[in-house]
Amino acid sequence: MAITVATVATAPFEGQKPGTSGLRKKVKVFTQKNYTENFVQCILDANGGALAGSTLVVGGDGRYFCREACELIVRMCAANGVAKVLAGQNGILSTPAVSSLIRRHKALGGIVMTASHNPGGPENDFGIKFNCENGGPAPDHFTNKIYALSGEIKEYKIAEGLEIDVSKTGVNSYEVGGKPFVVEVIDSVADYVCLMKEIFDFEKLKDFVSGKSRNGQPLKMRIDSMNGVTGSYVEEIFVNCLGASKDGVVHTTPLPDFGGLHPDPNLTYAKDLVEAVRSGDYDIGAAFDGDGDRNMIIGRNAFFVTPSDSLAVIAHYLECIPYFKKNGVTGLARSMPTASAVDLVAKALNKELFEVPTGWKYFGNLMDAGRLCLCGEESFGTGSDHIREKDGIWAVLAWFSVLEHTGKSVEEICVEHWKRYGRNYFTRYDYEECDLAPCNEMMATLEKTITDPSFVGKEFSSGGKTYAVKLGDNFSYNDPIDKSVSTKQGLRIVFTDGSRVVMRLSGTGSSGATVRLYIDSYEKDNVLGQASVMLKPLIDIALEISKLPSFTGRNAPTVIT
């Protein structure tokens, strides 16, 4: 059958504005006639003249509509002058794997089909984002261009008659519009596994996992892929390469609805993992989100490692990982809401420390400039400059490296770290699917309150503790590399003892508003307290200042992490 390029008339849809990690909506929105086609065409058009003759990577987290969208995107790439598409088998690639492939193949970028940690299935969420040529999420100026184009679109192009079966690996060559076009369906796992072997000492880790270097005691692990994209990666790396028992890895089959699980690796949604590790039968537990870029680490008896502490611990031990021993340690960074535990490590190591807005794209410029090698977000994201995305499996391998290097347990490592640096007690309250209008009013009222000059110096007391205000602002970030400025990135109250309250409206949900309240309290000496007890005074003060219960009608958060 001849392959022809069809130009299809269309009209704009409202609200195709990418958030911090692309466009996320309900499946029923994306499956409307022309909806996905419009957004993909805008992504392609935003690349301008660079698109002609380029290579793009396409893959996603395997959620409902992923494979169909993959094949649609391939046909649109063919019609728009792309020369080659690298597509994950069955449309599946983890987000870290996409980043790796873009960088290894010097592609123009990648179209990633994911709604990350949001639930999947026909009644739930789907998403599409674009990663640019450095492998990282598209920067603001690019996503703003996509949005502008989405309001003006009148037509899209698609290759009619191009049949592609992404279930079979192999190279497929075509002629489209008189030009050659190649689709290479690739093994979803192979490239990423090679990358991990370049970073970590797999032979040393294999001896550690098997017990050869642990007096014959194998490392007992419980790794939960939550029926997301990481299942195949976990089986290949932890079972086949490192020799872990297959019984130690669970939910490794990617399912369109994640098997009914909510693929968000936290204490609420990964409760099966938490309960299993609470038994004392495992040395370490880990879970990943739907697309494999987030991770949660817990130790024996379900000892919870906050993402902020995980980042700080890895930072302290970076040179036990061959990649950093070879390449050296440059700067460290965290997102603004993340507890400032890593700041203390940066100071001790005499390294630059960067505080950026929420969104992994803000780390990319610093990495590309050679000023950043490790970074993290409190939303369970940790990564390094090996790619330009957060990377869940990488984080677990980093923890395996620290465990092997120290010979200590997860809890012992954290306690030792707190005794050395002090402890940042941290929690995040999420209030999901709130009405947007009162949330916007709450944020406007709070901003007015905390930016009034009279707010500085005020004292607030609760539970026998008193906090004096040092600073109140709406966080702005000046990128030291490209000099771009990002404003209104979250309301921030900083107290004189270093404690902080942060409030943001999230851009990663598909409906309503998610209010995120972050509490960060530093203690130099009292490092073994119960986090909920230590944080309660500041939580009460934050709720008092923000009047959150009054504005949202919520007496309790949906999720506490």
Side-chain angles (χ1 to χ4, degrees), residues 6-13 33-34 37-38 153-158:
T7 299
V8 182
T10 188
F13 290 87
K33 183 180 179 181
N34 293 351
E37 289 89 338
N38 276 24
I153 188 169
K154 295 178 181 177
E155 60 187 31
Y156 65 84
K157 295 178 181 178
I158 189 163

Side-chain angles (χ1 to χ4, degrees), residues 323-442:
Y323 176 88
F324 297 102
K325 191 167 186 178
K326 175 184 176 182
N327 297 319
V329 177
T330 54
L332 308 174
R334 61 172 173 82
S335 66
M336 183 272 287
T338 302
S340 51
V342 73
D343 301 35
L344 302 170
V345 180
K347 183 177 181 181
L349 297 178
N350 196 28
K351 303 296 181 183
E352 280 191 293
L353 187 283
F354 301 95
E355 182 181 29
V356 308
T358 296
W360 208 259
K361 58 191 173 187
Y362 294 103
F363 296 122
N365 276 355
L366 297 164
M367 290 181 173
D368 291 345
R371 291 176 65 178
L372 174 61
C373 70
L374 177 74
C375 52
E377 295 182 328
E378 52 68 39
S379 53
F380 295 84
T382 320
S384 86
D385 60 353
H386 67 289
I387 55 173
R388 296 296 181 268
E389 286 278 9
K390 47 187 176 277
D391 191 343
I393 289 176
W394 176 93
V396 175
L397 290 170
W399 264 95
F400 277 23
S401 300
V402 173
L403 290 169
E404 188 278 333
H405 177 75
T406 62
K408 295 181 169 63
S409 70
V410 171
E411 183 173 0
E412 288 169 339
I413 289 167
C414 288
V415 169
E416 184 178 276
H417 186 91
W418 296 334
K419 289 181 177 178
R420 177 183 290 114
Y421 291 104
R423 181 177 180 183
N424 287 82
Y425 289 92
F426 181 83
T427 191
R428 186 181 92 188
Y429 279 19
D430 287 0
Y431 300 80
E432 297 177 346
E433 297 189 349
C434 297
D435 290 338
L436 184 57
C439 288
N440 284 333
E441 184 183 357
M442 173 183 67

